[in-house]
Amino acid sequence: MSWGGYRLWNGAPYPEADPNVVATRLREQAERVEEDLDGRSRFEAHHVDTGACYHRGLRSFAHIDEARRDVRSFDLGWRATDVPQATARAGQERIRSRLSEQGWNPTREHPSDMGFRFEHPGTGDTIDVGWYEATGTLAVNIHAPCGKVPDGFDE
């Protein structure tokens, strides 16, 4: 009974996350996406940002808008402007094909003129690729979901 109350109050625990492993995984995916976009690697070091994560369960009502210090999400993203539609479409098709072959699942269409999101079934990582006609902007965002980071983690 006490375990049920604890779980109801705290919600499901976040999985453990090694920030270095997650950052490396996101950078490797970014490199593959860039290769798919233009057929050659022009990968430059992209900065991995962390995001806020919040309490789960009923405890979240007691800590509304209070981010946890021990749980973080991870994001890596970049944009390129003046990308012709044909170039963007060809690159996106290569990305879709590779992600499907690797077992990633399409989750929903991206809210751009031409975009998509895929999720990795094992890690929960997502890759968003969108192209915006008005500006010719090709936007890529790679995201790892919230995970419990080690004590002393410094962003």
Side-chain angles (χ1 to χ4, degrees), residues 1 7 10 14 16-18 21 23 49 73 80 86-87 96 101 105 110 114 120 130 132-133 154-155:
M1 184 83 156
R7 186 67 180 259
N10 289 303
Y14 284 103
E16 299 290 326
D18 180 333
V21 170
D49 294 313
S73 64
T87 302
R96 277 185 216 244
E101 288 172 8
N105 300 316
H110 192 274
M114 190 173 78
H120 189 276
Y132 300 86
E133 184 175 7
D154 184 15
E155 296 178 45

Side-chain angles (χ1 to χ4, degrees), residues 121-142:
T123 63
D125 293 354
T126 58
I127 295 178
D128 283 296
V129 181
W131 182 78
Y132 300 86
E133 184 175 7
T135 60
T137 300
L138 182 63
V140 176
N141 186 52
I142 304 171

Side-chain angles (χ1 to χ4, degrees), residues 23-98:
T24 298
R25 187 174 71 229
L26 295 184
R27 286 188 181 109
E28 288 171 352
Q29 282 302 328
E31 188 173 56
R32 287 187 205 111
V33 166
E34 282 196 344
E35 289 171 357
D36 289 339
L37 286 172
D38 64 11
R40 66 190 191 295
S41 178
R42 55 181 170 73
F43 179 71
E44 298 174 16
H46 291 291
H47 182 69
V48 176
D49 294 313
T50 62
C53 298
Y54 300 91
H55 292 277
R56 293 179 167 176
L58 294 177
R59 186 175 188 176
S60 65
F61 293 109
H63 298 279
I64 293 175
D65 293 335
E66 182 182 320
R68 290 181 54 167
R69 294 178 184 210
D70 62 334
V71 181
R72 306 301 292 168
S73 64
F74 299 84
D75 289 291
L76 187 156
W78 71 95
R79 287 164 181 36
T81 56
D82 298 323
V83 177
Q85 181 176 1
T87 302
R89 187 175 303 276
Q92 285 179 318
E93 289 309 312
R94 287 189 294 270
I95 294 167
R96 277 185 216 244
S97 178
R98 178 181 59 81

